[in-house]
Amino acid sequence: MNTIEAVKTLTTWDQQGRYVYSTSDLAKIVDDPTPAAFRKTIERLVTQDVLVRAARGVYVFAYSRHLGPTTIEDVALTLRRGEYVFESLESALSQWGRISQIPLDRITLMTTGRRGEYRTPYGVIEFTHTGASPTEIQQNIIDRRDIGHPIPIANEEYALRNLRRVGRNRALVTETDRKESRYVEG
């Protein structure tokens, strides 16, 4: 597929809200006859700044109208597609006003998938594995798609429980009266 056709195709997908792709996603939409031709097309699109390599096997359409502060969340969901992923630990506690320092270049996520850390052009994504059941997770997360966040957030108590469970440093957590604590939209 040549560059002009690729931009047209990616723009069509972008209009439908899709702008972050795994390699296998791209293989389905890029019409190349062989795996070698597909690899060359992807390399060319990255070199020509049509695609941004966000992480190994994850690409972002550089001309997307959806690029913004939640792009890091879309990348994270693509990295752990098929798994539960929710914001927790320091990121969530910062949103709940329990940590005064707001992590600007990092998002801490819990996942039923593999743990790992990814340095992307959109910030650092830190996944921590949880063995929690889907029922436990569903009962303790808040959907934020209505405010533009594709990843749900752990409620305050669950974020604190996760922090203790994984043995993270709780020195940054401020003690507060439950009535004072509130979610800060971000």
Side-chain angles (χ1 to χ4, degrees):
M1 177 177 277
N2 69 42
T3 303
I4 293 171
E5 292 170 343
V7 170
K8 285 180 182 176
T9 301
L10 292 168
T11 298
T12 299
W13 282 101
D14 187 59
Q15 291 167 346
Q16 298 172 38
R18 186 75 183 269
Y19 72 109
V20 179
Y21 304 92
S22 68
T23 304
S24 61
D25 297 335
L26 288 171
K28 293 173 188 169
I29 65 171
V30 172
D31 188 25
D32 280 328
T34 66
F38 169 72
R39 280 191 302 277
K40 287 223 180 265
T41 296
I42 299 306
E43 288 172 19
R44 186 177 68 254
L45 294 174
V46 168
T47 301
Q48 294 174 341
D49 296 325
V50 173
L51 290 175
V52 175
R53 184 175 283 121
R56 184 176 181 180
V58 177
Y59 299 87
V60 176
F61 179 43
Y63 303 124
S64 174
R65 64 182 178 178
H66 301 286
L67 290 171
T70 61
T71 298
I72 192 170
E73 294 181 40
D74 290 318
V75 170
L77 289 173
T78 302
L79 284 165
R80 291 293 180 271
R81 191 175 289 156
E83 303 290 346
Y84 279 95
V85 174
F86 59 95
E87 189 171 358
S88 190
L89 307 171
E90 294 88 355
S91 290
L93 291 169
S94 172
Q95 295 290 321
W96 288 110
R98 293 297 300 268
I99 293 179
S100 61
Q101 297 173 346
I102 299 172
L104 297 175
D105 66 340
R106 171 178 294 266
I107 186 169
T108 55
L109 305 170
M110 299 295 288
T111 180
T112 54
R114 289 180 297 119
R115 64 175 296 282
E117 184 174 286
Y118 297 84
R119 297 186 184 286
T120 78
Y122 312 100
V124 177
I125 301 169
E126 181 184 350
F127 291 108
T128 300
H129 176 76
T130 181
S133 71
T135 302
E136 177 183 323
I137 293 169
Q138 286 296 320
Q139 291 172 346
N140 290 289
I141 61 174
I142 299 164
D143 188 327
R144 302 182 297 165
R145 286 177 291 193
D146 61 332
I147 59 169
H149 286 273
I151 293 183
I153 190 168
N155 65 40
E156 184 178 351
E157 288 179 27
Y158 198 48
L160 284 166
R161 226 172 33 219
N162 287 327
L163 194 72
R164 283 191 288 276
R165 188 181 294 165
V166 300
R168 297 285 270 261
N169 184 351
R170 295 189 319 240
L172 293 175
V173 177
T174 58
E175 294 304 318
T176 182
D177 182 357
R178 294 251 329 122
K179 293 175 189 163
E180 292 177 19
S181 181
R182 63 183 179 82
Y183 172 71
V184 179
E185 257 183 50

